[in-house]
Amino acid sequence: MTILLVTNNAIHMGGDPVKNVDTTTFDSTKLDYGIQVSDNTAMPVAHPHDEAVGDTAWYQWDFFTDGGISGTEDGYMFAVRDITGETIFRLNLRDGIMEAQGFGGATNGGQTSSGMSPSNDVVVSFKVSVTVNASAVSSTLYVNGSLMATHSTSNSRGLGKPRIADFSMSDAQGSFANFAVISSLIVSDSDLGNFGFTKLSPVSAGADVGMAGDGFAAMSDDNDTTGVTASSANEKNSYNMAAYANGSNINSYVATALIGAGPSGGSYRFYLLIGGVQYNGATVALTADLTTLEKFTWGVDPSDGAVWTAAKINAAQLGIEAL
């Protein structure tokens, strides 16, 4: 199993950040940040990803809307493209219908599942597989774990393997007063079942307490207006994180924080404190007077180079250091 792309970062297509729109939905262990649409005319958001070793790529994501599905917008919710940008697969949501379309030939053909449209204010999990080889393009569509549609067509146009995940969302937008959100996108080369994100927030101060500000509580409330501040190089804070207990197959540990620099800019790095030893992430330069969502990924436990376990994650403190 190989993860080709994983992201839970915020991409705002107009309007407020997702976490400021509906805290009941997005201050949770699964939906942290997402792609927000509040304008039907917004450009699609494309996610290039690595190529699968085999012929198949799997895509899974969570979807939320507070205002219904558009019945008039002529667009799509999600598409898969090859490296040249040619469409391989497209998912339409319209008039209470989900439609999976394959584009192997000159025209598309679709298999439709009627009467199944995401309900308002409910998180819906989508999963799509797309297989491309020299002779055929095939796909499957799952919603909340149930198989909804399959499709296969000849690859008469010589399409390449899946390389781009493209969210347009125009079909999923009911009106300008409502919003629709995609979050927790994972692309892999095999079916991951119900694999997903677990969000761990700080629960107490760690061994390093060198920054000024509002303490660990302000680092876990998803509020941009509070936090901690470093005024000189090598000031750092570490945090004890909430306990992880969701599963034993752990792909990676990802640190995320909203970080801003003053008029002089600066640099920072995430680090893990394990057994009293500091294991540093990459040093990142910050643009002056700009706040961005930053992240760093540890694919394995840096203290021993082995895969993560729940016990290892729970023994690590997560920190951030000004440089």
Side-chain angles (χ1 to χ4, degrees), residues 98 299 318:
M98 291 185 183
L318 177 61

Side-chain angles (χ1 to χ4, degrees), residues 29-30 194 196-200 243-250 310 314:
T29 59
K30 190 151 190 177
N194 62 354
F197 291 86
T198 297
K199 175 187 170 184
L200 305 178
Y244 174 81
N246 281 8
S248 59
N249 186 9
I250 302 170
N314 292 334

Side-chain angles (χ1 to χ4, degrees), residues 51-276:
E51 183 177 291
V53 174
D55 297 332
T56 303
W58 287 82
Y59 303 83
Q60 63 183 69
W61 67 91
D62 288 337
F63 172 78
F64 178 92
T65 180
D66 75 334
I69 303 301
S70 171
T72 58
E73 189 70 23
D74 184 17
Y76 59 95
M77 175 188 183
F78 173 72
V80 176
R81 308 184 192 281
D82 68 10
I83 195 62
T84 68
E86 290 292 327
T87 302
I88 303 170
F89 170 88
R90 193 166 71 181
L91 170 62
N92 286 337
L93 300 181
R94 57 181 178 81
D95 300 326
I97 294 174
M98 291 185 183
E99 186 176 54
Q101 297 178 322
F103 284 77
T107 59
N108 71 76
Q111 173 144 351
T112 299
S113 176
S114 61
M116 177 61 193
S117 186
S119 301
N120 294 352
D121 300 314
V122 176
V123 177
V124 179
S125 295
F126 285 88
K127 183 166 61 177
V128 168
S129 72
V130 179
T131 301
V132 179
N133 55 41
S135 60
V137 174
S138 58
S139 60
T140 58
L141 167 64
Y142 294 84
V143 180
N144 291 335
S146 298
L147 180 63
M148 298 301 300
T150 62
H151 182 258
S152 182
T153 185
S154 63
N155 188 6
S156 60
R157 292 192 295 141
L159 296 170
K161 291 184 179 181
R163 290 295 302 275
I164 301 170
D166 175 12
F167 290 97
S168 170
M169 299 295 292
S170 55
D171 275 358
Q173 180 62 21
S175 72
F176 292 107
N178 307 125
F179 67 92
V181 181
I182 291 289
S183 187
S184 304
L185 171 65
I186 307 173
V187 185
S188 61
D189 63 359
S190 57
D191 185 359
L192 300 180
N194 62 354
F195 181 90
F197 291 86
T198 297
K199 175 187 170 184
L200 305 178
S201 297
V203 295
S204 63
D208 298 330
V209 187
M211 295 183 182
D214 302 306
F216 73 90
M219 300 294 287
S220 62
D221 62 1
D222 288 336
N223 188 335
D224 297 351
T225 62
T226 59
V228 295
T229 303
S231 56
S232 60
N234 302 121
E235 290 185 359
K236 58 185 178 181
N237 275 20
S238 65
Y239 303 94
N240 296 305
M241 310 301 287
Y244 174 81
N246 281 8
S248 59
N249 186 9
I250 302 170
N251 176 264
S252 58
Y253 188 117
V254 183
T256 62
L258 202 62
I259 302 175
S264 299
S267 299
Y268 82 95
R269 65 187 174 198
F270 287 111
Y271 66 90
L272 292 176
L273 200 60
I274 303 174

Side-chain angles (χ1 to χ4, degrees), residues 230-233 259-269 283-290 292 294 321-323:
S231 56
S232 60
I259 302 175
S264 299
S267 299
Y268 82 95
R269 65 187 174 198
T283 297
V284 179
L286 296 169
T287 302
D289 295 319
L290 182 66
T292 56
E294 299 288 337
E321 182 177 11
L323 301 171

